[in-house]
Amino acid sequence: MKCNQPIRRRDAAATKSAILCAARTLFARDSYENVGIREIASLAGSDAALVSRYFGSKEELFTAVLSSGERGVDVIGTELEGLPERVGELMFDPDDEGKSMEDILIMLHSGNSPIAGPIVRASIDERFHDPFASVIGGESAKERSQLFGSILLGLSISQQISGDITDCPELREKLKRRLADIIRKAIAPL
């Protein structure tokens, strides 16, 4: 989702989009409890009343923010065949410097919130665990999908903090194969 859309006068769709983008930006910076409707409206160049009009409550806006992110299967694909290799390619793509961490940051900031935590967990299930459980199939597919997601989450956070593991193309290929082996084991039937 691109958040650089200027608000046009009396354009409900642009205003709604600006509010959603402002909320995404602010929830990625701070916890659910520390972000206010007025702050969101201000960043969106809007009025707090419009936030309520378009989204209802702050809780509903938070849900909309999480729902607006990409689903894992939309990025990785829905075919079980070649899934581990696709993950390796995505995670070790040297040209993908713009990996967005917004969704992860939103979840990390608000995952322990009594209000936002259940919304975060439902979003993770809806956008990642459940679709990949369907792709993986079989007994304990949900748990294997959760293990798969945990591996990707850990690697994503590590790469964001530490940078790419290597600039060496040969070592990168070895790491892709190693990650594919780890993913293959994580999603294999128990």
Side-chain angles (χ1 to χ4, degrees), residues 18-37:
I19 291 168
L20 191 62
C21 288
R24 173 174 280 285
T25 298
L26 292 172
F27 286 129
R29 289 184 195 161
D30 210 340
S31 70
Y32 175 84
E33 282 77 17
N34 290 339
V35 174
I37 293 291

Side-chain angles (χ1 to χ4, degrees), residues 82-100:
L83 176 69
E85 292 76 19
R86 287 193 310 275
V87 169
E89 290 296 324
L90 286 169
M91 296 306 290
F92 291 110
D93 182 355
D95 298 324
D96 190 4
E97 303 257 339
K99 292 178 185 167
S100 175

Side-chain angles (χ1 to χ4, degrees), residues 37-158:
I37 293 291
R38 286 189 178 128
E39 183 182 11
I40 293 166
S42 176
L43 183 60
S46 182
D47 184 81
L50 288 176
V51 175
S52 296
R53 178 178 176 190
Y54 292 126
F55 294 98
S57 66
K58 181 170 126 177
E59 190 173 334
E60 290 170 304
L61 175 57
F62 187 77
T63 301
V65 165
L66 289 177
S67 296
S68 69
E70 288 184 305
R71 293 178 336 132
V73 292
D74 295 336
V75 176
I76 299 170
T78 58
E79 295 295 319
L80 183 58
E81 181 69 32
L83 176 69
E85 292 76 19
R86 287 193 310 275
V87 169
E89 290 296 324
L90 286 169
M91 296 306 290
F92 291 110
D93 182 355
D95 298 324
D96 190 4
E97 303 257 339
K99 292 178 185 167
S100 175
M101 292 292 290
E102 274 188 334
D103 284 354
I104 292 172
L105 291 172
I106 292 167
M107 292 179 200
L108 289 173
H109 284 306
S110 298
N112 287 331
S113 163
I115 296 170
I119 299 168
V120 167
R121 288 183 283 286
S123 176
I124 293 169
D125 281 345
E126 181 182 307
R127 292 173 45 211
F128 191 90
H129 295 146
D130 293 342
F132 277 112
S134 293
V135 169
I136 293 168
E139 188 177 332
S140 303
K142 176 82 174 260
E143 291 78 8
R144 292 182 288 133
S145 176
Q146 289 172 319
L147 180 58
F148 172 44
S150 297
I151 293 165
L152 297 186
L153 180 62
L155 185 55
S156 295
I157 292 171
S158 176

